[in-house]
Amino acid sequence: MGFFSQDCGRCGHPLLSPGATTAGVNEWMTQGVAIDPEGGVHLGDYDGYGRLGGAEKAVGFGATVFHRACWDLLGKPVQFAGASVDSEDQGWFFGDGEHDLPDPRRSRA
Ligand SMILES: [Zn+2]
């Protein structure tokens, strides 16, 4: 089974695994938050295969998903808000620069 991901409920870009980021630009996209339908909240680094921090199947199985940075900006919501979109590019098959956004916590300053 290959890589998969879900798109962040705030910015619409996928959670990325470390190997899919651009150094010095969007490593912040590996840090995610997933709220499962039962209300469990998981935080951590995304591995590209569903695992977020210590939780298996946190991403890609119908959770509400955000980047940690985006979640912070939204005021850290903990309510399940429906399944986030499954990433069409699986968080892996995308062109250079497609997800090269700066950390929104910095750009807002
Ligand atoms: Zn985001």
Side-chain angles (χ1 to χ4, degrees):
M1 194 164 164
F3 285 108
F4 54 89
S5 191
Q6 283 178 274
D7 293 345
C8 170
R10 177 180 171 272
C11 73
H13 291 271
L15 263 65
L16 298 178
S17 51
T21 59
T22 304
V25 178
N26 62 355
E27 283 107 335
W28 62 276
M29 287 188 181
T30 67
Q31 300 269 317
V33 179
I35 305 160
D36 66 42
E38 285 76 43
V41 181
H42 312 285
L43 282 77
D45 285 314
Y46 188 48
D47 76 346
Y49 296 102
R51 182 195 292 264
L52 190 72
E56 305 273 353
K57 298 189 175 181
V59 174
F61 298 88
T64 300
V65 168
F66 300 103
H67 295 114
R68 176 64 195 265
C70 293
W71 185 72
D72 284 350
L73 287 176
L74 290 172
K76 306 182 199 287
V78 293
Q79 295 292 317
F80 176 70
S84 296
V85 177
D86 288 324
S87 304
E88 238 173 78
D89 63 18
Q90 302 171 233
W92 188 257
F93 299 104
F94 54 86
D96 284 350
E98 219 170 295
H99 302 308
D100 280 0
L101 270 69
D103 187 325
R105 290 169 300 194
R106 274 189 292 158
S107 59
R108 177 179 268 207

